[in-house]
Amino acid sequence: MIKLMDKWRITNHLLKHSSKLLFDRRLSANSHNSVFRSALECSESLVKRGFGNASTIRYRCFGSEATKFERNAAFSTLNSEDVSYFKELLGEKSVIQDEDVLLAANEDWMRKYRGSSKLLLQPRTTNEVSQILKYCNSRLLAVVPQGGNTGLVGGSVPVFDEVIINMGSMNNLITFDKGSGVLVCEAGCILENLVSFVDDHGFIMPLDLGAKGSCQIGGNVSTNAGGLRLVRYGSLHGNILGLEAVLANGDVIDMLGTLRKDNTGYDLKHLFIGSEGSLGIVTKVSIHTPPKLSSVNLAFLACKDYFSCQVLTYLEGVRNPFSSSMHNFYVLIETTGSEESYDREKLEAFLLSSMEGGLISDGVIAQDINQASSFWRIREGIAEALMKAGAVYKYDLSLPVEKMYDLVEKMRQRLGETAKVIGYGHLGDGNLHLNISAPRYDDMVISVA
């Protein structure tokens, strides 16, 4: 009963304060994703109308065209007194004003968006995050939460001069239950470190990304990252058991449960999964990690019905798995099981029947861990290769599997010789990564698309 009352209290608290969020966010200005960055203007609109009227907003922003926007005059400007407060709170080393560090923090991984923040804060505890947001809320200082800054749409960098709150110093692994496989950690933990940790204990992270060496679990949760294991283990909505977050006014919301079944009241953690910082900053997460299966097999397949992409040209240290021959469409399949020889036999039988039936043109099964790593390097390096090839406009779309490739073909028809259209993604769950590659960023490409 106490827990149920706590949930009602948290629900009321969240609804009361979420509309006052001070995170200044770009309204999808040429960022090519369907999630717009929450802006003070949106918050003020909700406050003026009253929360009960929020349901009158019946649209989602799917911005593509470049948008010119101005800094909201309601925000304050950082001054020396603010910096002194943060230094007293966090210590000198955690208050960053170094221009070189700020240059990297102000720019996204694609080097497409750039802010002008003059201050980066590195809190070490939830309380410090709370005190930072409480102060910024009182001073009307805009902030932007930042994890590993590996996103591809500029979501983790300032628009103007926001204070950057980087979560990298909150990287402690709090508990791990070897019986249930439940991991509790802070938001700044690097995904690859968590993968290695649970692997050493006989478990597997349900999330895997190409950016795992730099991305942080708090950012993964806040963006509802899908990754390469979604078909097998499901989305983060199913694997995140609980979380802790700090609202814009500094209040801490403790939903850090570790039970797989909890049907009491509202399941509020789902509001924060994928909220992209618009409701608050995630500070801790509780994750269910399944037992690791002993048998892993990886097959690289070639098919006929897809246009070639130039991945191998722009990635160093990779080679064509099929010698010198090139194919139009490639599929990477990883299977896991408990019996190595039996699982491999099944995969080999599948490849043989697929080749005999004309479904695939060629195929190769990784013979060791090095070859498996080289296969994954090709798949995980596509984003890097596209960036090296020139300017790239990115879209992340969920479509019925049978319709995924139709969009690629239609975009090629629309763009013609203006740009190259590359489609890849997750065939198992209908997630298409649509990339428009051009020699340089050009508004003409946007207008044609």
Side-chain angles (χ1 to χ4, degrees):
M1 185 65 179
I2 294 177
K3 187 168 185 179
L4 180 58
M5 292 302 296
D6 284 344
K7 285 194 174 184
W8 279 109
R9 176 183 57 80
I10 292 172
T11 303
N12 181 64
H13 194 73
L14 180 61
L15 296 180
K16 179 180 179 182
H17 293 291
S18 62
S19 62
K20 298 180 181 179
L21 191 61
L22 296 180
F23 299 144
D24 186 312
R25 312 278 277 181
R26 183 183 288 113
L27 279 175
S28 199
N30 204 21
S31 62
H32 312 293
N33 68 340
S34 62
V35 182
F36 62 85
R37 306 181 68 187
S38 62
L40 180 64
E41 290 88 342
C42 298
S43 300
E44 288 178 337
S45 176
L46 289 175
V47 172
K48 289 177 181 177
R49 299 180 191 182
F51 190 85
N53 294 331
S55 61
T56 60
I57 301 176
R58 299 172 187 243
Y59 62 87
R60 296 172 69 185
C61 180
F62 292 83
S64 293
E65 295 189 15
T67 304
K68 292 183 179 180
F69 48 95
E70 298 180 357
R71 185 184 188 278
N72 193 314
F75 289 117
S76 300
T77 302
L78 187 74
N79 61 37
S80 59
E81 292 182 3
D82 300 325
V83 176
S84 296
Y85 172 82
F86 292 130
K87 286 183 177 179
E88 183 178 350
L89 174 66
L90 305 175
E92 294 274 349
K93 293 183 178 180
S94 297
V95 179
I96 309 300
Q97 295 178 284
D98 180 84
E99 292 185 0
D100 291 336
V101 177
L102 286 170
L103 181 63
N106 270 297
E107 190 173 59
D108 72 309
W109 188 80
M110 292 290 297
R111 298 178 181 174
K112 187 176 180 182
Y113 304 109
R114 182 176 297 171
S116 56
S117 175
K118 299 297 188 293
L119 188 69
L120 182 148
L121 305 178
Q122 297 177 318
R124 297 177 298 273
T125 67
T126 298
N127 181 62
E128 289 182 350
V129 176
S130 174
Q131 294 303 312
I132 291 170
L133 291 180
K134 182 178 181 180
Y135 180 85
C136 290
N137 185 63
S138 67
R139 277 275 293 123
L140 290 179
L141 288 171
V143 306
V144 57
Q146 188 174 92
N149 199 19
T150 61
L152 303 179
V153 292
S156 58
V157 296
V159 182
F160 298 107
D161 57 346
E162 301 94 304
V163 175
I164 300 172
I165 303 178
N166 186 281
M167 301 299 292
S169 294
M170 292 185 63
N171 57 6
N172 294 310
L173 196 155
I174 301 170
T175 61
F176 182 69
D177 188 329
K178 297 180 181 178
S180 64
V182 175
L183 171 73
V184 180
C185 64
E186 292 182 320
C189 289
I190 301 295
L191 178 59
E192 189 169 37
N193 294 341
L194 298 179
V195 170
S196 298
F197 175 84
V198 298
D199 182 77
D200 291 341
H201 289 81
F203 292 82
I204 187 170
M205 279 293 290
L207 175 69
D208 189 20
L209 304 172
K212 60 188 172 188
S214 302
C215 66
Q216 298 172 11
I217 190 63
N220 299 149
V221 172
S222 296
T223 56
N224 193 21
L228 303 169
R229 294 174 177 167
L230 188 141
V231 172
R232 178 83 193 221
Y233 297 109
S235 73
L236 287 179
H237 278 287
N239 291 299
I240 298 298
L241 303 180
L243 54 81
E244 176 190 82
V246 183
L247 302 184
N249 69 341
D251 288 349
V252 179
I253 303 297
D254 186 356
M255 301 171 284
L256 200 61
T258 58
L259 298 178
R260 294 189 64 182
K261 181 180 180 181
D262 181 0
N263 56 2
T264 58
Y266 296 116
D267 203 346
L268 296 175
K269 66 177 181 290
H270 293 298
L271 295 176
F272 288 85
I273 300 172
S275 66
E276 305 218 1
S278 61
L279 293 179
I281 298 179
V282 174
T283 50
K284 295 185 180 75
V285 295
S286 170
I287 313 165
H288 173 249
T289 64
K292 181 176 62 176
L293 298 174
S294 58
S295 169
V296 179
N297 290 287
L298 190 67
F300 204 109
L301 313 180
C303 304
K304 299 176 181 178
D305 55 349
Y306 202 81
F307 286 92
S308 299
C309 58
Q310 301 290 318
V311 174
L312 297 178
T313 303
Y314 297 101
L315 285 182
E316 297 179 3
V318 300
R319 64 182 184 83
N320 187 347
F322 305 106
S323 301
S324 59
S325 59
M326 295 295 292
H327 299 270
N328 294 324
F329 183 32
Y330 298 95
V331 180
L332 191 62
I333 297 178
E334 182 178 86
T335 67
T336 56
S338 56
E339 181 60 46
E340 177 68 31
S341 59
Y342 177 66
D343 294 337
R344 193 175 186 86
E345 287 177 4
K346 287 198 299 182
L347 183 58
E348 290 175 346
F350 165 74
L351 296 184
L352 180 60
S353 63
S354 297
M355 292 184 72
E356 290 176 345
L359 181 63
I360 62 175
S361 305
D362 203 351
V364 57
I365 299 177
Q367 299 301 309
D368 53 41
I369 187 64
N370 291 328
Q371 193 171 24
S373 296
S374 69
F375 288 178
W376 276 118
R377 168 62 176 150
I378 296 173
R379 168 58 180 84
E380 294 178 343
I382 296 177
E384 177 186 345
L386 286 169
M387 187 176 70
K388 291 180 178 179
V392 59
Y393 300 88
K394 291 182 168 293
Y395 299 83
D396 197 348
L397 308 161
S398 292
L399 300 166
V401 174
E402 66 272 14
K403 300 291 185 181
M404 282 180 68
Y405 192 62
D406 292 351
L407 183 57
V408 178
E409 291 182 323
K410 289 180 180 179
M411 290 304 297
R412 283 179 177 152
Q413 292 172 3
R414 287 177 66 96
L415 288 165
E417 299 298 320
T418 307
K420 294 181 179 179
V421 181
I422 297 96
Y424 71 100
H426 311 269
L427 190 62
D429 56 44
N431 182 202
L432 173 68
H433 301 314
L434 182 68
N435 290 258
I436 312 299
S437 179
R440 64 191 64 83
Y441 290 114
D442 189 340
D443 288 346
M444 182 178 295
V445 175
I446 295 296
S447 63
V448 174

